[in-house]
Amino acid sequence: MKDISLWAEADWITAIASVVLVVFLAIGARIAVQKDPEFAGHPKGLYMLFFAEMWERFSYYGMRAILIFYLTQHWLFSDGKSNLIYGAYTSLVYITPVLGGYLADRYLGQRKAVLFGGLLLAIGHTLMAVEGTGGQNDPTINVFWAALAFIIVGSGFLKANISVMVGQLYNLTDVRRDGAYTIFYMGINVGAALGTILVAYLGQTLGWGYGFGLAGIGMLVGLIVFVLGKRVLNGAGEAPRPLAKGLEYGLYGIGLAAVAVIWALVQYQDVIQTLLAISGVALLGYVLFESFKLDKEPRERMFAILFLISLNPLFWGLFEQAGGSMNLFTDRFVDRAGVPAGIFQSINPIYIILMAPVFAGLWQWLGRKGKEPSAPAKFGLALAQMGFANLVLVWGAEAYGIAAMTPVILVFAYYFFATTAELCLSPVGLSAMNRLAPKYLASLIMGAWFYMTAVGNFVAGKIGEATGGHDGELTKQGLLDIYELFGWIAIGAAVAVLLVSPVVKKWMHLDTLRDDNAGDTQEGADEAYPVNARPAE
């Protein structure tokens, strides 16, 4: 171990992150051993899901922080191709929740789907530690593709369903719901921040296998937390009806078969683009079909859902430059003082940890005064801030000169506005999907939310590819030109969203939302199986 007198900034950052991780583990242990069913005004189940998701995000974002460098420096893909692979991978991570959500809704229940997804994720993150010799001619690259496939399918079973389980802990009219999702979102970002710092430090200073190996350990810990915390869920996430073992194992077999399909698919990004378009039209058609079966108010709520999720591609297409082109920009054109570029990916989750309570309090304060912006208005504000984040980086970098190294303060400024934008959209969107969707479509609608996020991630890959120009190698001026163009596009879209937000707010019919009584069914649900029914334990 390096003598403490020789520690550089990166060493101190990593040490602090390790101490923070220990503190959070101690807090988690304190919550776990207490006998009260609630902690700080929320059920203990929320905190179990918080820590399970924290570890899953530790693994995912830790890997994400160094993936673009792994592609360019170890597997020797061009900058443009690496951005496209990165975008294709992250898009598949967000599209598979559509299938995972459907299987959980109809058969498995969210708890078993999350458990199975966690197992696949643990396998995938472990395989990422297998490096080989590098280069595209190394046959070990097939293990790399397999690792991505396991992570993609595992995320499909876990992501949408664990978010739905948060909502199942509360009544629809419970005023704590938005606060619960904000707390849960903080769990996501605690894991993201710590995982990014620790995995990036190990991966970029000691070796790729060390970084990816730590990500795998984090996923295993998250899986253990979820298994041991079953009792505090109070029945949330159980299957909608008794499930035959043969059918259950058959569904797991479908998941494993999907890994094989994704292994082949992730290597051909153009095919993914075509499938996103086809499946997007199919999903939209199915949601509309289900919408027109409903009465006026729930139908218009579905229209509001479709409007909100339609904004995801533009927002996430810009926001997800962070792990791709922005990561390469930071590595090559920013005065980092020797800090590994991947560690800068922790800025966004750290900002969220600091500002999420502020935003949660702000919404509650404005709500009490009757001045809280509606969900569509918040989405408009999010697009405006994301566009401004792009423009701040462009204007600042050009002011200091294209030939000069960009001051690191501009990276912090970029992530600041990107983070305030995210806080106006992502937790608000998660809550709106769960609140507005008919219960029998809850996981599918959450999956649709992640599907449109998937489209945004693929758009991010295409935007990142464009920053590489014709020869595939990223240039500073080329990136700034692309960022400026899309910055103005985002601000223009924001103005349009704010203008129509009053109409969309009316579609939400928030004043007539109600909780179902035990045994009631929502319109369109399977009458044979009440939405609140649970199989016997």
Side-chain angles (χ1 to χ4, degrees), residues 14-69:
T14 305
I16 293 170
S18 300
V19 171
V20 172
L21 179 59
V22 171
V23 170
F24 267 91
L25 292 178
I27 294 172
R30 169 68 180 84
I31 297 173
V33 299
Q34 77 165 29
K35 295 182 179 180
D36 294 337
E38 292 190 353
F39 179 83
H42 288 276
K44 287 177 66 175
L46 172 65
Y47 299 99
M48 187 280 284
L49 295 174
F50 172 105
F51 280 99
E53 180 73 346
M54 183 192 85
W55 281 112
E56 190 274 328
R57 296 289 85 184
F58 179 101
S59 302
Y60 176 79
Y61 280 99
M63 170 197 164
R64 173 182 175 272
I66 58 175
L67 179 59
I68 195 75
F69 303 125

Side-chain angles (χ1 to χ4, degrees), residues 167-177 435 515-516:
Q168 291 177 349
L169 296 172
Y170 300 86
N171 294 327
L172 290 177
T173 54
D174 194 324
V175 295
R176 300 177 298 171
R177 288 176 65 88
R435 191 178 193 184
D515 291 299
D516 295 319

Side-chain angles (χ1 to χ4, degrees), residues 94-260:
Y94 283 95
I95 196 173
T96 49
V98 177
L99 175 61
Y102 177 81
L103 294 179
D105 274 342
R106 295 296 183 184
Y107 306 108
L108 286 173
Q110 287 78 26
R111 185 181 63 83
K112 286 185 177 179
V114 169
L115 182 59
F116 179 62
L119 287 170
L120 296 180
L121 283 164
I123 294 171
H125 283 292
T126 300
L127 291 177
M128 282 295 296
V130 180
E131 293 183 49
T133 57
Q136 296 170 47
N137 294 324
D138 179 3
T140 311
I141 197 171
N142 290 302
V143 178
F144 168 70
W145 298 126
L148 295 185
F150 272 102
I151 294 171
I152 289 165
V153 178
S155 295
F157 279 91
L158 186 144
K159 281 190 67 63
N161 292 310
I162 199 167
S163 297
V164 168
M165 290 173 72
V166 172
Q168 291 177 349
L169 296 172
Y170 300 86
N171 294 327
L172 290 177
T173 54
D174 194 324
V175 295
R176 300 177 298 171
R177 288 176 65 88
D178 280 6
Y181 271 106
T182 301
I183 291 171
F184 180 70
Y185 209 61
M186 286 180 66
I188 291 174
N189 288 282
V190 168
L194 298 178
T196 295
I197 293 171
L198 297 174
V199 172
Y201 178 82
L202 292 178
Q204 292 193 275
T205 59
L206 297 183
W208 306 115
Y210 289 97
F212 292 129
L214 178 61
I217 292 172
M219 188 60 242
L220 285 173
V221 174
L223 192 58
I224 292 170
V225 169
F226 187 78
V227 170
L228 296 180
K230 174 186 174 182
R231 64 180 179 81
V232 299
L233 292 174
N234 298 323
E238 294 302 329
R241 66 202 72 175
L243 185 64
K245 287 296 181 183
L247 176 59
E248 181 178 350
Y249 292 138
L251 295 174
Y252 296 148
I254 291 174
L256 293 175
V259 172

